[in-house]
């Protein structure tokens, strides 16, 4: 039985095939390259498939795969996305801080550096309504104009007081131990009701 031998160009390993048709099939399927070497049963030496008389015509029809083109216009968006995410987080934190800063009036120091002058309630009681927050054990007690209200009712009760009295300023009298979440709810309600000014009176817990 005649036998054909195929090897990679310059390689030692040899693949034996029963006939030329198998070599031709391997060439067309891409298993062999036109530059691989072949040796037939009557050949005296190895020669490239593309120059062998039996396969030269078929090898010419096999087009080499085009080299992969590098797209120089491709833009890697990952660094840009990372920068945008960092800027987004920065803007969110900045806006959040600015909102809290607008909601809380920070007392200004006097030019003499003596601190904020004390405000007496009797001097402003005609234009303010009073919100008192105390701790009853572990439970915060909220009173608006001496009326105890639940945390969920702060906005409506404050709205009712403002509509009935016309007072748009507020005195917030609170214990130091009152949770910040309760204070935030009161400040949000005041902002929603367009309170013009908030005067703070903080007391230490007994």
């Amino acid at each position: 039985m005649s036998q054909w031998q195929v090897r990679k160009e310059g390689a030692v390993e040899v693949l034996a095939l029963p006939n030329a048709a198998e070599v031709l099939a391997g060439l067309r399927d891409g298993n062999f390259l036109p530059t691989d070497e072949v040796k037939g049963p009557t050949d005296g030496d190895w020669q490239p498939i593309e120059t062998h008389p039996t396969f030269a015509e078929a090898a010419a029809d096999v087009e080499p795969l085009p080299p992969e083109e590098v797209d120089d216009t491709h833009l890697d968006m990952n660094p840009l996305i990372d920068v945008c995410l960092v800027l987004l987080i920065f803007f969110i934190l900045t806006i959040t801080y600015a909102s809290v800063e607008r909601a809380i009036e920070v007392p200004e120091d006097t030019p003499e550096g003596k601190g904020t002058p004390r405000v007496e309630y009797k001097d402003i009681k005609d234009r303010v309504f009073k919100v008192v927050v105390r701790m009853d054990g572990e439970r915060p007690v909220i009173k608006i104009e001496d009326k105890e209200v639940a945390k969920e009712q702060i906005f409506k009760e404050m709205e009712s007081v403002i509509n009935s009295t016309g007072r748009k300023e507020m005195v917030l009298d609170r214990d130091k131990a009152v949770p910040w979440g309760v204070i935030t709810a009161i400040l949000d309600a005041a902002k929603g009701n367009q309170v013009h000014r908030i005067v703070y009176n903080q007391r230490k817990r007994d």
Side-chain angles (χ1 to χ4, degrees), residues 134-139 174-179 202-206:
R134 297 283 184 267
M135 294 300 295
D136 182 10
E138 298 298 325
R139 183 178 71 91
R174 67 185 179 94
D175 283 342
K176 187 177 181 180
V178 173
Q202 179 172 292
R203 300 182 184 181
K204 294 183 179 179
R205 188 175 182 183
D206 296 333

Side-chain angles (χ1 to χ4, degrees), residues 45-158:
D45 199 2
W46 294 90
Q47 56 182 309
I49 296 177
E50 61 187 358
T51 61
H52 195 283
T54 306
F55 312 109
E57 184 177 352
D61 295 335
V62 177
E63 297 182 0
L65 295 176
E68 184 178 353
E69 297 182 0
V70 179
D71 186 4
D72 295 332
T73 62
H74 175 69
L75 179 62
D76 186 2
M77 297 295 292
N78 290 330
L80 179 61
I81 293 173
D82 292 341
V83 172
C84 290
L85 289 176
V86 172
L87 291 176
L88 179 61
I89 294 173
F90 173 77
F91 290 142
I92 290 175
L93 293 177
T94 303
I95 293 172
T96 302
Y97 175 78
S99 300
V100 174
E101 190 177 33
R102 286 196 300 269
I104 302 176
E105 289 190 15
V106 180
E108 298 179 358
D109 290 336
T110 59
E112 295 81 7
K114 297 180 180 179
T116 304
R118 184 177 179 82
V119 178
E120 296 292 340
Y121 177 69
K122 63 181 181 179
D123 297 331
I124 60 174
K125 65 179 182 179
D126 293 335
R127 65 175 188 270
V128 302
F129 63 92
K130 193 172 184 179
V131 178
V132 180
V133 192
R134 297 283 184 267
M135 294 300 295
D136 182 10
E138 298 298 325
R139 183 178 71 91
V141 178
I142 306 168
K143 291 184 179 181
I144 300 178
E145 291 292 275
D146 296 327
K147 179 181 178 181
E148 185 174 338
V149 298
K151 183 179 177 181
E152 296 77 14
Q153 298 297 321
I154 295 174
F155 182 89
K156 289 186 177 180
E157 183 61 27
M158 194 178 293

